Amino acid sequence: MNATSPATAIAKVRVDIGTGRPRDPGVWPGLLLVTAVALAAFALAQIPGLSGFSPLILAIVIGIAFRALAGVPTRARPGVALSMRVVLRSAIVLLGLQLTAGQVAEVGTAGLSVIVATVVCTFAFTIRLGRIMGVERGLTELIAAGTSICGASAIVAANTATRARDEDVAYAVACVTVFGSVAMVVYPLLSGPAGLGPYAYGIWAGASIHEVAQVVAAAFQGGSEAGEFGSVAKLSRVMMLAPVVVALSLMASSRTRRDGAPCGRGRAPVPWFVLGFIAMVGINSVFAIPAEATAVIATATTFMLALALAGMGLETDLAKLRDRGVRPLVLGGAASLFVAAFSLGLIKTFL
């Protein structure tokens, strides 16, 4: 990424008292810009017809459109960079407060086994197929994370280890948006012919549809019981975010050692925010956090993720996005078909 690092951006905030020159605005213009984009995304998500799309997806789309139409001022870049680093990692830590060990237990041993097997096999399948198709490694890993775990949130988290281009992040988000939206419409139509009861249908939706909003929209069409199981299954799937990011970090470290470049010996391969995510799940499992506080934290977390994706959209060049071609889109479609078919096969066999 070409954006200025947060540390550099913050270091530039000075006051020249001797000359009387105005204070350097630092990160504030960029933060105000990504905030405006995120607020616009939340507003659009309330419009009928767009409510099936999460504000995260809308934020990156608006950011890309803004850059294409108006460009991004140079003075805004430090704040945009900050949103993609510090704000993003903090949001992922807070994401852990949306899950408890008790919720995972509600899915049951069999249901949880289906979810874990689906995530692992979908991730491995996508990585392997991406190599066969010749899709760039970074983009393949982002599509694999977004398809196997939790859509846009997983993509931006995985990119902290993958360090792919902003255009790759945008492309991967586009893939999970398109195919997740298709699944949101098709799954309710298939539940009857597939002979799935509320529990099995909820687990299927939660284990294989990409975005949380898409899971909720699809699962509740099978009734309230299916909707509740789908939501809990999806949150349980989010737990896999930590080991997948760790795996990507280890893969990146292994590549660095193999290529003979300095690998930062002595540094832990696990990003700090992953440990923070796990710690928040533990805190939420041990201490009873009031429902009102949980709702506020969930909204704040989503907004912070929207800020990060708005920043990525503002850093995305449409011309470079077009240069990726159709192969990554085909890869995303194949991965989506795999996660749907594989999880359904496990559910019909074991549940």
Side-chain angles (χ1 to χ4, degrees):
M1 299 181 188
N2 297 322
T4 306
S5 69
T8 303
I10 294 171
K12 291 181 178 179
V13 182
R14 301 187 181 94
V15 181
D16 192 335
I17 300 176
T19 62
R21 288 182 295 185
R23 181 190 297 268
D24 187 330
V27 299
W28 294 110
L31 288 178
L32 289 173
L33 179 56
V34 295
T35 299
V37 171
L39 289 173
F42 271 81
L44 285 178
Q46 306 304 312
I47 298 176
L50 293 177
S51 57
F53 296 96
S54 78
L56 310 186
I57 293 169
L58 296 173
I60 197 169
V61 171
I62 296 171
I64 292 172
F66 184 92
R67 177 187 172 114
L69 296 174
V72 179
T74 301
R75 67 201 303 255
R77 293 190 179 278
V80 171
L82 188 69
S83 73
M84 294 189 295
R85 308 295 195 279
V86 178
V87 175
L88 168 61
R89 288 162 171 77
S90 300
I92 294 170
V93 171
L94 290 178
L95 194 62
L97 291 175
Q98 298 183 28
L99 184 65
T100 67
Q103 288 174 320
V104 175
E106 290 179 18
V107 176
T109 303
L112 189 59
S113 299
V114 166
I115 292 169
V116 173
T118 298
V119 169
V120 172
C121 293
T122 300
F123 187 84
F125 169 83
T126 308
I127 294 293
R128 179 60 180 166
L129 183 60
R131 290 175 181 170
I132 293 172
M133 295 177 61
V135 178
E136 289 185 12
R137 174 193 54 77
L139 181 51
T140 295
E141 291 176 352
L142 295 181
I143 292 174
T147 303
S148 62
I149 307 175
C150 54
S153 300
I155 289 169
V156 294
N159 195 49
T160 59
T162 299
R163 300 186 184 278
R165 302 180 183 92
D166 294 322
E167 289 76 24
D168 291 344
V169 174
Y171 203 125
V173 170
C175 283
V176 300
T177 301
V178 170
F179 298 114
S181 298
V182 171
M184 180 177 66
V185 174
V186 172
Y187 272 43
L189 302 177
L190 296 178
S191 62
L196 300 177
Y199 173 72
Y201 175 65
I203 296 297
W204 185 39
S208 56
I209 299 179
H210 307 332
E211 286 284 335
V212 173
Q214 295 165 346
V215 170
V216 171
F220 273 96
Q221 291 187 58
S224 60
E225 186 180 358
E228 291 170 4
F229 277 120
S231 300
V232 173
K234 180 61 176 178
L235 290 175
S236 301
R237 191 171 154 202
V238 172
M239 272 292 292
M240 296 296 292
L241 182 63
V244 166
V245 173
V246 171
L248 288 172
S249 297
L250 291 172
M251 290 165 60
S253 177
S254 176
R255 282 192 299 269
T256 301
R257 289 194 299 269
R258 187 173 60 249
D259 295 340
C263 60
R265 184 170 51 188
R267 295 171 59 186
V270 182
W272 67 263
F273 66 88
V274 173
L275 299 177
F277 172 87
I278 296 172
M280 291 300 104
V281 174
I283 290 172
N284 198 30
S285 301
V286 175
F287 301 100
I289 299 177
E292 297 80 4
T294 300
V296 171
I297 293 171
T299 301
T301 302
T302 302
F303 187 74
M304 291 168 69
L305 288 171
L307 291 176
L309 280 166
M312 289 180 181
L314 291 167
E315 287 294 307
T316 298
D317 188 335
L318 275 178
K320 293 180 180 178
L321 195 60
R322 287 193 295 268
D323 289 343
R324 298 294 182 272
V326 298
R327 282 185 298 177
L329 187 64
V330 174
L331 174 63
S336 296
L337 286 174
F338 179 88
V339 72
F342 184 81
S343 58
L344 181 59
L346 290 179
I347 288 168
K348 294 294 290 183
T349 302
F350 298 107
L351 297 187

